[in-house]
Amino acid sequence: MDLSKLESILKGRSSQPQQLIEVLQDVQESYGYIPEEAMREISKTLGVPLIEVYRVASFYKAFKLKPSGKYVITICNGTACHVRGAQLLLEQAVSQLSIKPGEVTDDGMFSIEHVNCLGACALGPIASENGSYHHHMTPAKLRKFINSLNHHEKEEVKYA
């Protein structure tokens, strides 16, 4: 973990426990998740007990405590999406990528999440990739989409 980024985030925030959520947001933005080592430094610098830092970081769904893949495939499992086949989308992603929700593929390219609602009920079932929504998704469309991301990555590597 590059501590210089963390030091920059914490600079000028010593003994300011009210800055906890803002600091966690900055750490997540810098690292893509909140490493345990960062939580320890945040605790010391802000003067917040480590258990409180962990409690806040684990309570809010926006914070990740583990690294994610380059492409985060999020499947909505809200009521509207669920009745339109969201479970089949989740099964497709799990089968195709050989990982469970919350895990990352060995190459670090993909991770899968499922959430209670993405807020686009009329367009369900919804799958998103790094925040970009894909509506009226089917398992076949999702398979093709994941394949296209894989193909795009291979093309980038080939021409790099």
Side-chain angles (χ1 to χ4, degrees):
M1 185 176 114
D2 177 12
L3 288 177
S4 65
K5 289 194 273 186
L6 183 59
E7 289 168 3
S8 173
I9 291 167
L10 293 172
K11 187 176 182 174
R13 291 176 161 164
S14 185
S15 299
Q16 295 183 33
Q18 72 277 11
Q19 293 280 315
L20 178 58
I21 290 179
E22 186 177 337
V23 167
L24 290 172
Q25 288 171 326
D26 292 346
V27 168
Q28 170 122 344
E29 188 176 322
S30 278
Y31 295 96
Y33 74 110
I34 302 171
E36 183 179 335
E37 188 177 343
M39 285 193 273
R40 292 182 190 286
E41 285 301 314
I42 292 167
S43 171
K44 283 190 263 181
T45 302
L46 299 183
V48 175
L50 181 58
I51 191 69
E52 180 68 9
V53 175
Y54 177 77
R55 185 189 67 77
V56 171
S58 62
F59 176 79
Y60 292 103
K61 292 286 185 192
F63 294 133
K64 296 178 187 336
L65 301 180
K66 297 188 302 186
S68 297
K70 180 176 180 179
Y71 299 106
V72 179
I73 306 296
T74 304
I75 309 295
C76 179
N77 199 29
T79 303
C81 290
H82 178 75
V83 298
R84 293 179 184 142
Q87 185 61 36
L88 295 173
L89 296 179
L90 184 60
E91 290 169 9
Q92 172 62 43
V94 165
S95 172
Q96 186 173 357
L97 297 171
S98 301
I99 57 172
K100 295 177 185 162
E103 296 179 344
V104 179
T105 56
D106 290 339
D107 61 5
M109 294 306 299
F110 292 93
S111 55
I112 302 170
E113 295 178 346
H114 61 103
V115 296
N116 290 333
C117 188
L118 285 172
C121 303
L123 302 173
I126 296 282
S128 77
E129 170 265 322
N130 295 346
S132 176
Y133 284 36
H134 304 274
H135 57 85
H136 299 103
M137 190 58 76
T138 66
K141 286 181 184 178
L142 183 60
R143 182 180 62 251
K144 288 177 186 174
F145 180 66
I146 291 171
N147 285 340
S148 74
L149 291 173
N150 260 327
H151 178 74
H152 175 72
E153 280 302 313
K154 289 176 184 169
E155 288 297 311
E156 278 189 6
V157 169
K158 188 162 76 172
Y159 294 109

